[in-house]
Amino acid sequence: MLNTKRLASVAAILGLTAAGTIAATGTASAASYNGGCGSGYSVIGSKDVGDGNAFITYNSSNGYNCVVTVSDTPGSSMYLDARLRIHRTDTVWKANEVDSGNFSYYAGPVYIKAVDTCIDYGGTAGNASYIQVNYKVHCG
């Protein structure tokens, strides 16, 4: 009887270990910045936007900000949206402030010269139900 209990305990531990391993390997990793804005741009912030991340960058040599939204699952086509503008209070985004569509890797880059002012940036990725934006950030 003791050996049966011991064997059942070992089997239960092995089952939990296997389940933990399967769960850990099945977790998607968060997207990291991919250099999509080009050389000279440094990441100054990011925002989780569903199945990806929106990255805001700045180039101190030319005064431009740039945003890209990078997919958590590169190579799989999904809806991606990247947006950037000088801060204002309305919710209307102009066509030149947004890059959106079905992409396999990232949306953007979207650029704006924003020296001595605040910006709004964000986006969405995958099945996110709404666009996520950080307003009035990186004021300088």
Side-chain angles (χ1 to χ4, degrees):
M1 182 73 167
L2 183 59
N3 284 340
T4 305
K5 283 185 178 180
R6 191 174 287 157
L7 185 58
S9 296
V10 169
I13 290 170
L14 288 175
L16 290 173
T17 303
T21 302
I22 291 167
T25 56
T27 303
S29 61
S32 58
Y33 178 63
N34 64 353
C37 290
S39 63
Y41 285 85
S42 299
V43 175
I44 58 172
S46 65
K47 182 167 188 58
D48 182 347
V49 292
D51 294 329
N53 284 300
F55 293 93
I56 182 70
T57 64
Y58 182 70
N59 186 322
S60 59
S61 66
N62 65 17
Y64 276 82
N65 284 96
C66 172
V67 69
V68 293
T69 297
V70 181
S71 169
D72 284 343
T73 55
S76 299
S77 182
M78 72 171 66
Y79 182 79
L80 296 170
D81 176 293
R83 51 189 59 221
L84 174 66
R85 69 182 187 181
I86 300 292
H87 173 69
R88 58 182 191 268
T89 57
D90 66 58
T91 59
V92 177
W93 291 76
K94 299 175 185 169
N96 65 331
E97 298 169 335
V98 178
D99 183 38
S100 62
N102 288 313
F103 302 106
S104 296
Y105 296 94
Y106 66 100
V110 179
Y111 297 96
I112 194 163
K113 190 160 189 155
V115 178
D116 298 327
T117 189
C118 300
I119 59 170
D120 305 330
Y121 84 96
T124 193
N127 293 324
S129 58
Y130 57 91
I131 296 168
Q132 300 178 47
V133 176
N134 283 347
Y135 290 98
K136 200 172 183 181
V137 295
H138 301 292
C139 303

